[in-house]
Amino acid sequence: MENNFDVIVIGGGPGGYVCAIRASQLGLKAACVESRGSLGGTCLNVGCIPSKSLLNLSENFHKAKKEFNLQGIEFNELKLNIDKMMSNKDKSVDVLTKGVEFLFKKNKVTYLKGKGVIFSKNDVVVYNNNSKQNYKAKNIVVATGSSVASVPGIEIDEKNIISSTGALTLSKVPKKMVVIGGGYIGLEMGSVWSRLGTEVIVVEYLDHITPGMDREVSKEFQKILIKQGIKFRLNSKVISVKNQKNSVLVEFTDNKNKKKEILEADKVLVAVGRKPYTEDLNLTKIGIKKDEKGRIVVNDKLQTSVNNIYAIGDVIKGPMLAHKAEEEGIAVAESLAGQAGHVNYDVIPGVIYTSPEVAYVGKTEEQLKSENTSYKIGKFPFLANSRAKVNNETDGFVKILADNKTDKVLGVHIIGPHCGDMIAEMALAMEFGASAEDIARTCHAHPTHTEAIKEAALAVDKRPIHF
Ligand code: NAI
C-alpha cells in the first residue's frame, strides 16, 4: 500500500507543494512529484525569489550611489561585488527550497523525486535517472507550471541571448542590454541591471508597457522608469536576433511605418511571456483537453476533462502568478477532502517589484468602461503623504475605483513605495465587499504610507484632507 495515494501532485512549485501540504493537513495521503532536484518550482528557484533578492540588493546599491550623498550619508568608496551579491541570492534560494522540504516532512507529504508521467487516470510513473517506479492515485493534480516563451526563430542560449533565468546569474554587469518585452520580467530584470550600471533599452510590441494594467498607472510607471534611465522603443516588433561573437543584433520594425531598425547590445533579455508546461505528461493520450493556447481546460472545480485529474497554476487559464496557483492548490485539496474549495478570481492582487513598486487588485478603468459600469475615482499622490515625503519617495499615487451608486470598491491601483505590501489591505477590503467609505472611516496609523489609501478613499467622495 506504500505506493497508493489519495492524491499525487505533479509539480512542486507554489501551486503543487501548497496543494500537497493542504491535502495532507486534511487527512489525505499525499505525494508530490518534482524533477528539478529542489522544491519550490520556478518561483523559488529561478523566478520570484532570486529576482526579489537582486531587486533588493541592486536598489540598495543604487541608493548608496545616487541618493545617500544628497541625504547626508557620505562615504569615499563604493564597490560592487557581484559574486557576493549572487551568492547572497543563492543562499536565500537554498534556504527557502530546503524549507519546503522540511514542510513536507512536517506535514507527512511524500516527496517523489523524478519526472512524473500519467499513464492512466489512476496511474503515475516516476522516472528518475534509469529507475522507474509505479504509483496509484485516487486523484492526480497537474501543477507543472510554465516555461519561457520566445520569439519565433530566436534561440535562447542563456549566454548572450538570455531569459529571466540567465538574467539572474550574470557574472558581470553588461554595458548594454536590450530587453524584448515590457512586461513583468522585462521591467523587473531591466531595473536590476540598469541600477547596477547597464544601459537598458526595452523594445515593446504594444504602444504601452505592462499590458492589462490600468493605463494611467502604466503611463506613470513608464515615466518614472524613463526618469531612472531606462529607454523604451514602443510599437516595435522584434523580428530577429543575431548572435555574433561578442555582441547581439536585435532587428525590429516600427509597427506604424514598418521601418526596420537594428540595436546592438552585449546581452539580450527575451521577456515576451511564458507558456504552460505540459510536455511529456501523456495528457492527450489519457483524454485531457487543452485550449488554443495550450492551457489545460478545467471547470470551476479545477477538474480537467478526466474528472479525478485536476490542474492548477500556470498550466490553466488566468494570471501566471504564484499566489494564484497557491489559492488553486488549496481549493483543490479542500474539494478532495469534501470541503467547498473556492478561488475568488476577482480579487487576485498583482505586484511588480520595481522601485517604486506597482500593485493592483480588481478592475482597471478600461475594464469598467468596456463593461459599461458607472464608477467614481479617488486619487491621492504620495507627494502629499508625510511618510513618503520624509523618506524622499514621492513618486506615484493611489487610485481607488468605486461603484458610482453603491460605493463598493471595484479596483485599486497603486504605484508608489511599499505598495506591494499595501495592496493586501485592499484585497482584504474587497474580499469583505468594502465600500470606499468603509476604508475612509478606518483609522490608519500616522505617519505611514497607508494613509495615502485612506486619503484616496476620502477622495472618492471628493473630501481628501491633505490634498
Ligand atoms: P508579460 O506577458 O508580462 O510581458 C511580455 C511582453 O512582451 C508584452 O508586453 C508583449 O506585448 C511583449 N512582446 C511579445 N512579443 C514581442 C515582440 N516580438 N517584440 C516586442 N515585444 C513583444 O511576460 P513576462 O514579462 O515574460 O512575464 C511572464 C509571466 O511571468 C507573466 O505572466 C507574469 O505574470 C509572471 N511574472 C510575474 C512577476 C511578478 O508577479 N512580480 C515577475 C515576473 C514574472
Side-chain angles (χ1 to χ4, degrees), residues 181 183-185 188 204-205 211 236 238 271-274 320-321 351 353:
Y184 282 65
I185 294 180
E188 287 187 2
E204 165 59 48
Y205 177 73
S236 300
V238 172
V272 294
R274 297 180 62 85
M320 288 182 163
L321 298 172
V351 181
Y353 297 88

Side-chain angles (χ1 to χ4, degrees), residues 37-39 96-106 111 113:
S38 68
L39 293 165
L96 288 169
T97 53
K98 291 219 171 80
V100 180
E101 219 168 315
F102 162 78
L103 291 174
F104 271 9
K105 283 195 190 116
K106 184 178 165 213
Y111 175 17
K113 293 183 185 166

Side-chain angles (χ1 to χ4, degrees), residues 176-180 199-203 230-233 263-264:
K176 191 167 170 181
M177 179 187 278
V178 170
V179 174
I180 310 176
E199 179 190 353
V200 172
I201 305 167
V202 177
V203 183
I230 296 183
K231 296 179 184 128
F232 289 91
R233 303 302 300 264
L263 282 172
E264 186 171 12

